[in-house]
């Protein structure tokens, strides 16, 4: 059993209100507002600090097995703990790919030995593995690359997509960039010469076509579908039109996500940051940034996740198009969003919901994502006034860099508990802690 912690006088962001109260973490669970006589192994005066549910990042790439020179389940989860992330859901484009139940179970075994925080793994779709997808149980859902990215996972044929949506029951998420459009753009630009070409190849049209196509599949098959990393104003419009067409919002089968880099970077950043902001989907224009913030604030986009996709600096420094797409973000995402709250771009309540309760609901995660009695003691204490500058040298990710290197942010996690255990004390991560496999509320 973990040691108990009495966190006194924290400003607690609860599901429907924010109150200053004490919280006891004991037996791995949350106990709100314990009796004044309650005692614990450790007492923490949290006056002036905010207590939030631990972040659930539903899109990370931890490269384990097979690509562990970039990241592994230990270093990726170490970055999580320092960033206030207590649960991650990881993507299947590892080596081997996670496209069978056997590979899924092997990854879960690997994580049990290496991961500091709680973990779950998607099963990846291929054009012909629908039987494996139907058998998979210990997973949040199915990931489809409807448009290729890092690795060779791709399901682009309509017939295969129809079959996956028709025959499987798990929630589906997808990387939405239209392969035909991307290839045609690349051919026209002779493969691309500079990083700016990346956003011309993986352009607005590519994202919108693929998102429209997958939403159409989800709606026809009434299959729960999550649009990963929305990057354009036009996709926000598609989502908004769909929600407006429903009699009741609870009838929706589609949810959507945005990443900090699509909120905060645009094509003007290529001159300064080059391949460090080369991502799939590509970063777009300032007008897209503005629409994405509005979509997040109005609820058209429900989830914030990172798509943490580390590559080594050496790999990134290759000339375009050899430079790989992806950037690390998991240890800075909460601070980036708290900083955005301090800048008045969004509210703390909106950020907390989008990083905790919303992903828990979408992926049917049991007992996590809320500061509620009896929920798992996955919590993070944040100091909204703490100023710190992101530094490459201080990054926990094995890749050892951040596109936000040198940027001062206000609002940082100062302590993280995972299953009631203090895994980050403000300076050090408890690298000996091991997280647990996420459980899902599902009838299967
Ligand atoms: O830029 C990206 N990199 N986008 C993805 O979807 C995959 C990721 C990776 O795995 O490197």
């Amino acid at each position: 059993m973990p040691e108990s912690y009495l966190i006194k006088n924290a400003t607690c962001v609860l599901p429907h209100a924010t109150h200053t109260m004490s919280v006891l973490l004991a037996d791995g669970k949350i106990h709100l507002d314990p009796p004044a006589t309650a005692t614990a192994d450790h007492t923490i005066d949290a006056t002036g600090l905010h207590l939030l549910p631990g972040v659930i990042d539903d899109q990370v790439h931890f490269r384990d097995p097979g690509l562990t020179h970039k990241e592994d389940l230990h270093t990726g989860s170490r970055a999580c703990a320092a960033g206030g992330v207590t649960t991650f859901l990881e993507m299947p484009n590892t080596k081997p790919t996670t496209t069978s139940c056997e590979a899924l179970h092997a990854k879960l075994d690997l994580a049990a030995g290496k991961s500091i925080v709680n973990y779950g793994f998607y099963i990846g779709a291929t054009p012909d593995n629908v039987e494996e997808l139907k058998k998979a149980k210990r997973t949040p859902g199915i990931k489809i690359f409807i448009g290729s990215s890092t690795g060779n996972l791709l399901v682009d044929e309509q017939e295969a997509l129809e079959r996956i949506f028709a025959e499987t029951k798990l929630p589906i998420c997808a990387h939405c960039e239209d392969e035909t459009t991307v290839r045609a753009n690349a051919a026209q630009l002779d493969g691309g010469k500079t990083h700016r070409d990346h956003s011309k190849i993986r352009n607005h049209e590519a994202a919108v076509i693929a998102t429209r196509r997958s939403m159409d599949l989800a709606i026809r098959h009434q299959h729960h579908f999550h649009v990963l990393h929305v990057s354009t104003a036009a996709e926000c419009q598609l989502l908004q039109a769909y929600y407006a067409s429903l009699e009741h919002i609870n009838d929706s089968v589609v949810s959507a996500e945005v990443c900090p880099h699509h909120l905060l970077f645009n094509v003007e950043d290529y001159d300064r940051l080059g391949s460090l902001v080369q991502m799939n989907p590509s970063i777009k224009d300032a007008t897209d940034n503005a629409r994405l913030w509005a979509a997040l604030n109005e609820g058209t986009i429900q989830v914030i996740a990172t798509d943490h996709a580390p590559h080594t600096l050496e790999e990134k420094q290759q000339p375009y198009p050899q430079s790989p797409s992806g950037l690390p973000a998991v240890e800075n995402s909460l601070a980036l969003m708290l900083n955005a709250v301090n800048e008045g771009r969004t509210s703390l309540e909106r950020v907390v919901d989008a990083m905790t309760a919303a992903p828990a609901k979408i992926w049917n995660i049991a007992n996590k994502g809320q500061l509620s009695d009896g929920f798992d003691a996955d919590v993070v204490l944040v100091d909204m006034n703490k100023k710190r500058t992101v530094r490459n040298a201080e990054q926990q990710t094995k890749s050892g860099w951040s596109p936000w290197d040198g940027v001062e942010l206000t609002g940082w996690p100062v302590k993280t508990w995972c299953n009631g255990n203090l895994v980050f004390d403000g300076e050090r991560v408890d690298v000996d802690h091991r997280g647990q496999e996420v459980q899902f509320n599902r009838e299967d």
Side-chain angles (χ1 to χ4, degrees):
M1 267 302 153
E3 294 185 328
S4 53
Y5 291 84
L6 182 58
I7 305 169
K8 292 187 110 169
N9 301 319
T11 306
C12 297
V13 181
L14 306 169
H16 302 292
T18 298
H19 287 308
T20 298
M21 61 163 79
S22 296
V23 174
L24 176 67
L25 307 180
D27 311 324
K29 303 290 174 205
I30 294 170
H31 307 269
L32 295 179
D33 205 10
T37 52
T39 57
D41 300 319
H42 306 273
T43 301
I44 290 168
D45 179 8
T47 307
L49 303 177
H50 284 75
L51 191 69
L52 321 177
V55 171
I56 298 172
D57 191 329
D58 81 359
Q59 194 189 175
V60 302
H61 301 263
F62 282 170
R63 313 300 194 199
D64 202 352
L67 298 159
T68 52
H69 65 288
K70 300 175 195 271
E71 192 77 284
D72 63 48
L73 284 161
H74 190 69
T75 56
S77 64
R78 188 175 69 190
C80 285
V85 178
T86 49
T87 296
F88 65 81
L89 303 180
E90 206 259 357
M91 287 295 162
N93 58 337
T94 42
K95 262 192 180 166
T97 54
T98 321
T99 48
S100 66
C101 293
E102 195 187 343
L104 174 67
H105 298 161
K107 224 184 208 186
L108 286 163
D109 287 347
L110 206 56
K114 291 172 103 168
S115 182
I116 296 163
V117 300
N118 302 317
Y119 48 86
F121 298 99
Y122 295 94
I123 184 160
T126 71
D128 51 18
N129 75 339
V130 77
E131 293 308 323
E132 289 293 312
L133 303 180
K134 281 156 78 173
K135 273 193 297 187
K137 296 217 184 312
R138 293 165 64 190
T139 178
I142 297 164
K143 162 74 181 279
I144 311 180
F145 282 87
I146 304 182
S148 55
S149 185
T150 302
N152 55 9
L153 285 175
L154 173 67
V155 185
D156 191 30
E157 305 82 1
Q158 192 64 19
E159 203 183 319
L161 288 169
E162 296 284 352
R163 206 171 157 213
I164 295 166
F165 276 83
E167 294 185 25
T168 66
K169 291 212 164 58
L170 288 167
I172 296 175
C173 60
H175 180 112
C176 297
E177 285 183 295
D178 183 58
E179 191 69 12
T180 310
T181 308
V182 170
R183 285 187 192 174
N185 291 341
Q188 211 164 34
L189 289 169
D190 212 9
K193 302 259 173 307
T194 70
H195 295 105
R196 274 191 179 255
D197 288 342
H198 191 65
S199 290
K200 294 181 188 152
I201 292 171
R202 291 180 177 265
N203 64 356
H204 291 76
E205 202 187 355
V208 178
I209 291 174
T211 294
R212 185 184 296 118
R213 183 183 184 196
S214 39
M215 282 177 66
D216 169 66
L217 280 156
I219 294 163
R220 276 193 289 106
H221 291 284
Q222 283 296 289
H223 196 126
H224 187 145
F225 177 67
H226 185 61
V227 188
L228 297 166
H229 42 42
V230 172
S231 63
T232 65
E235 288 167 285
C236 297
Q237 221 165 327
L238 280 181
L239 288 160
Q240 202 177 26
Y242 167 61
Y243 298 137
S245 74
L246 299 169
E247 201 163 309
H248 198 282
I249 193 64
N250 290 343
D251 299 336
S252 170
V253 291
V254 178
S255 55
E257 166 194 301
V258 67
C259 301
H261 54 267
H262 288 128
L263 290 165
L264 297 167
F265 291 130
N266 59 55
V267 290
E268 301 307 323
D269 292 300
Y270 281 127
D271 289 346
R272 197 168 48 91
L273 294 165
S275 67
L276 301 188
V277 288
Q278 179 193 330
M279 279 295 299
N280 302 337
S282 67
I283 53 172
K284 305 289 191 311
D285 301 323
T287 48
D288 297 291
N289 296 143
R291 187 67 190 90
L292 290 168
W293 280 111
L296 173 66
N297 287 334
E298 77 206 9
T300 302
I301 290 178
Q302 299 81 23
V303 172
I304 301 166
T306 58
D307 192 8
H308 176 89
H311 300 281
T312 66
L313 263 185
E314 205 183 352
E315 290 166 335
K316 286 296 262 183
Q317 277 157 1
Q318 295 170 89
Y320 191 81
Q322 283 81 36
S323 48
S325 295
L327 57 84
V330 79
E331 66 201 273
N332 297 311
S333 57
L334 181 56
L336 287 162
M337 297 311 299
L338 297 180
N339 186 68
V341 170
N342 279 322
E343 288 178 344
R345 295 177 187 229
T346 184
S347 69
L348 181 60
E349 287 71 18
R350 192 69 206 99
V351 164
V352 170
D353 188 72
M355 297 183 93
T356 64
K361 182 168 172 227
I362 286 165
W363 299 108
N364 307 299
I365 295 174
N367 236 35
K368 297 190 186 298
Q370 289 180 31
L371 289 188
S372 291
D373 271 319
F375 270 57
D376 294 344
D378 294 343
V379 301
V380 55
L381 198 59
V382 307
D383 180 348
M384 290 301 293
N385 298 316
K386 179 173 172 163
K387 290 183 193 304
R388 206 190 110 199
T389 300
V390 178
R391 299 270 178 224
N392 281 354
E394 292 168 11
Q395 299 304 292
Q396 301 277 346
T397 167
K398 193 185 279 189
S399 59
W401 63 275
S402 164
W404 289 282
D405 176 53
V407 175
E408 185 185 76
L409 302 174
T410 306
W412 282 91
V414 292
K415 284 186 177 28
T416 309
W417 286 264
C418 184
N419 307 318
N421 297 292
L422 186 66
V423 291
F424 174 62
D425 66 5
E427 284 176 15
R428 277 194 57 257
V429 172
D430 176 1
V431 293
D432 297 322
H433 184 260
R434 290 295 171 267
Q436 292 170 3
E437 177 179 344
V438 175
Q439 304 298 314
F440 303 98
N441 288 321
R442 275 199 309 254
E443 292 162 17
D444 55 10

